[in-house]
Amino acid sequence: MDFENKVVLITGASSGIGEATSKYFANLGASLVLTGRKSEQLERVGNECKGNPLLLIADVTKVEDNQRVIDETIAKYGKLDVLVNNAGILANGSIENTSLQQYDEIMNTNVRAVYHLTMLAVPHLIKSKGNIVNVSSVAGNRSFPGILAYGMSKTAIDQFTRCTALELAPKQVRVNAVNPGVIVTDIHKRGGMDEKTYAEFLEKCKQTHALGRPGESKEVASVIAFLASDAASFITGVTLNVDGGRHAMCPR
């Protein structure tokens, strides 16, 4: 997996899977464009990556920010080879206690933003015969109570992945997704879990994941890099679970 002379744009790069993916691509020689909303965290990640990445403070839900990200990417590098749609949010809520505000916030970030940024990136990916990797979730292809809007958003991303893969295949642009299980990041705490609840949640992963543990960000990053690489040149339209076997499990 060699990304020398390849330009890789990663959203939500300031923490979690995005941070690990940024570092992984940097070690493979990629020219990076990293976006995030928090400048201090993004700068820290940028400083820990090889190759002096382009850092862009941007909110994927803002139309003007997405356009600026693409414009500045092309202005600096002249091309785009890989788009990693990683930025996303999580919130708890069932049909009995959710709100339209929660639905709108999750769908705007997890779906609408991906739809829009991909639209803007596709003309450049066609020129480079590049590819897209979307970060979905095991909640996209399995059903879990209590995260209704989030699960719906990730199912939408899975279908978006398959549809765009078919639309762009004649142009030799591949589109795939990874579907992580529980990964140790700060997304669950940002979604509302306190320390005690989160610790219990991670402990339960020993039972809910066949491999007996939650995953690490770097384990997802390596699969994203594989799907984006020439090693996966005949793979498109795939939603690949990186979840310790969770998608295959049923209660007994």
Side-chain angles (χ1 to χ4, degrees), residues 26-27 29-33 46-54 76-77:
N27 289 333
S31 298
L32 292 177
V33 182
N47 290 334
E48 294 174 5
C49 289
K50 299 176 182 178
N52 192 28
L54 174 61
K76 180 173 177 64
Y77 294 114

Side-chain angles (χ1 to χ4, degrees), residues 62-81:
K62 295 181 178 178
V63 170
E64 61 274 17
D65 280 14
N66 288 335
Q67 186 65 65
R68 176 170 54 84
V69 165
I70 295 299
D71 290 346
E72 293 197 29
T73 298
I74 301 305
K76 180 173 177 64
Y77 294 114
K79 66 169 184 169
L80 176 63
D81 296 285

Side-chain angles (χ1 to χ4, degrees), residues 174-196:
R174 299 183 299 107
V175 187
N176 294 292
V178 291
N179 295 60
V182 174
I183 307 298
V184 181
T185 69
D186 59 358
I187 191 172
H188 296 92
K189 293 179 185 177
R190 291 202 308 265
M193 283 191 185
D194 58 31
E195 291 288 346
K196 180 176 182 293

Side-chain angles (χ1 to χ4, degrees), residues 45-250:
V45 173
N47 290 334
E48 294 174 5
C49 289
K50 299 176 182 178
N52 192 28
L54 174 61
L55 306 180
L56 299 175
I57 304 303
D59 183 341
V60 292
T61 65
K62 295 181 178 178
V63 170
E64 61 274 17
D65 280 14
N66 288 335
Q67 186 65 65
R68 176 170 54 84
V69 165
I70 295 299
D71 290 346
E72 293 197 29
T73 298
I74 301 305
K76 180 173 177 64
Y77 294 114
K79 66 169 184 169
L80 176 63
D81 296 285
V82 179
L83 170 62
V84 180
N85 284 309
N86 167 73
I89 59 173
L90 169 66
N92 295 319
S94 75
I95 195 61
E96 293 182 285
N97 58 30
T98 189
S99 66
L100 278 179
Q101 180 183 355
Q102 181 187 92
Y103 174 87
D104 287 341
E105 288 175 353
I106 287 180
M107 297 301 280
N108 285 341
T109 302
N110 293 5
V111 183
R112 185 177 185 271
V114 172
Y115 194 103
H116 183 231
L117 190 59
T118 303
M119 284 173 57
L120 298 177
V122 157
H124 304 287
L125 293 171
I126 289 173
K127 290 178 183 177
S128 65
K129 294 186 178 179
N131 70 85
I132 301 164
V133 182
N134 299 317
V135 178
S136 182
S137 169
V138 67
N141 52 33
R142 298 288 289 182
S143 302
F144 302 98
I147 50 170
L148 178 59
Y150 179 79
M152 291 173 66
S153 75
K154 292 306 184 178
T155 296
I157 288 300
D158 287 354
Q159 185 72 326
F160 177 78
T161 298
R162 289 185 288 265
C163 289
T164 53
L166 294 181
E167 291 171 352
L168 297 175
K171 308 287 180 63
Q172 302 304 303
V173 174
R174 299 183 299 107
V175 187
N176 294 292
V178 291
N179 295 60
V182 174
I183 307 298
V184 181
T185 69
D186 59 358
I187 191 172
H188 296 92
K189 293 179 185 177
R190 291 202 308 265
M193 283 191 185
D194 58 31
E195 291 288 346
K196 180 176 182 293
T197 304
Y198 186 58
E200 293 170 350
F201 178 68
L202 293 183
E203 181 66 22
K204 191 177 179 182
C205 288
K206 295 178 180 179
Q207 299 172 334
T208 58
H209 292 62
L211 290 181
R213 62 175 177 85
E216 299 178 19
S217 294
K218 64 183 180 181
E219 294 177 300
V220 182
S222 63
V223 180
I224 292 172
F226 164 69
L227 289 173
S229 76
D230 290 341
S233 58
F234 203 50
I235 299 175
T236 196
V238 162
T239 50
L240 181 57
N241 285 88
V242 188
D243 65 353
R246 186 172 192 181
H247 72 280
M249 296 182 69
C250 298

